[in-house]
Amino acid sequence: MPDKDAGTPRVFLYRHGQTEWSQTGQYTGISEIELTPHGVKQVVASGKMLVGEGKLIDPTKLARVFVSPRNRAEHTFQLAFSDADKQALTDANKVERTERLAEWGYGLYEGLLTKEIRALRKDHGLDTDRAWDIWTDGCEDGESPQDVTARIDSLIEEIRAIHQGNMHGENPCDVALIAHGHTLRAFTKRWLGYPMEFPLSMMLEPGAVGVLSYQHHSIDEPAFLVGYGFPLEE
């Protein structure tokens, strides 16, 4: 964080590690697909580098850790944080498993590839003038963009209440979200005040961490950190 923004609360977006379906591009919502061995290595590597006292995600500075209820997110939390840090956070009632961070409900599209979804929708007489876009069209028998917006906005409201009054580091109040690719990108859009259909292209690799915060220590100026400068070692 630049010096002028030091102490401003942050939200860390921690995507779960690779699964067989994330590797193949299959849409994974409610299905409990476990991390691959490579996915485990991804999370262990990012956790070792980024999670711990004095590191980017410092457990002593966390006010809350919100975890998706899917196994792959829970496994990521277990791998990324040390046993001592997990115990301390749990004892302080700072860890919450919440459906608000579950992956987008894909409905009929669960387990399918994008090309298969578009073919299915064509068979259903949909998208006659343009290709399917989840951010605009949602999922048949699954969640609409409005459904996802409602649950994410509820979580953002709770996080902003935690941050309010702590914009200059008055109390440690960083927040970590451990969840999924679509959900975390949807969260970013809503954090910045954009509707789901806003064409904001984002990438977040399995096991990777993104950072959201605020400009000018202002709760009314949510922002994302395009790049993060790490402090020099003494």
Side-chain angles (χ1 to χ4, degrees), residues 19 34 38 103 136 151 169 218 224:
T19 69
E34 301 300 328
H38 181 66
E103 183 56 298
T136 300
R151 58 183 172 91
S218 172
F224 64 88

Side-chain angles (χ1 to χ4, degrees), residues 14 37-50 76 79-80 207:
Y14 207 137
H38 181 66
V40 170
K41 291 179 181 179
Q42 288 174 321
V43 175
V44 170
S46 57
K48 183 178 180 180
M49 181 176 293
L50 300 176
T76 295
L79 291 170

Side-chain angles (χ1 to χ4, degrees), residues 156-173:
I156 289 175
E157 182 179 1
E158 183 173 345
I159 292 171
R160 294 260 166 84
I162 294 170
H163 289 167
Q164 184 75 50
N166 294 293
M167 299 304 291
H168 290 82
E170 290 85 349
N171 295 289
C173 61

Side-chain angles (χ1 to χ4, degrees), residues 126-203:
L126 301 171
D127 309 328
T128 56
D129 57 347
R130 60 173 176 79
W132 170 73
D133 178 7
I134 192 171
W135 304 104
T136 300
D137 304 316
C139 302
E140 294 177 88
D141 291 348
E143 286 189 296
S144 68
Q146 294 74 28
D147 294 330
V148 178
T149 295
R151 58 183 172 91
I152 286 177
D153 282 1
S154 168
L155 182 56
I156 289 175
E157 182 179 1
E158 183 173 345
I159 292 171
R160 294 260 166 84
I162 294 170
H163 289 167
Q164 184 75 50
N166 294 293
M167 299 304 291
H168 290 82
E170 290 85 349
N171 295 289
C173 61
D174 287 343
V175 171
L177 311 181
I178 303 177
H180 313 269
H182 263 129
T183 297
L184 292 175
R185 285 179 286 158
F187 185 96
T188 300
K189 285 190 177 185
R190 296 305 301 146
W191 181 264
L192 299 173
Y194 296 130
M196 287 296 182
E197 66 270 19
F198 185 81
L200 183 64
S201 295
M202 295 170 283
M203 299 172 67

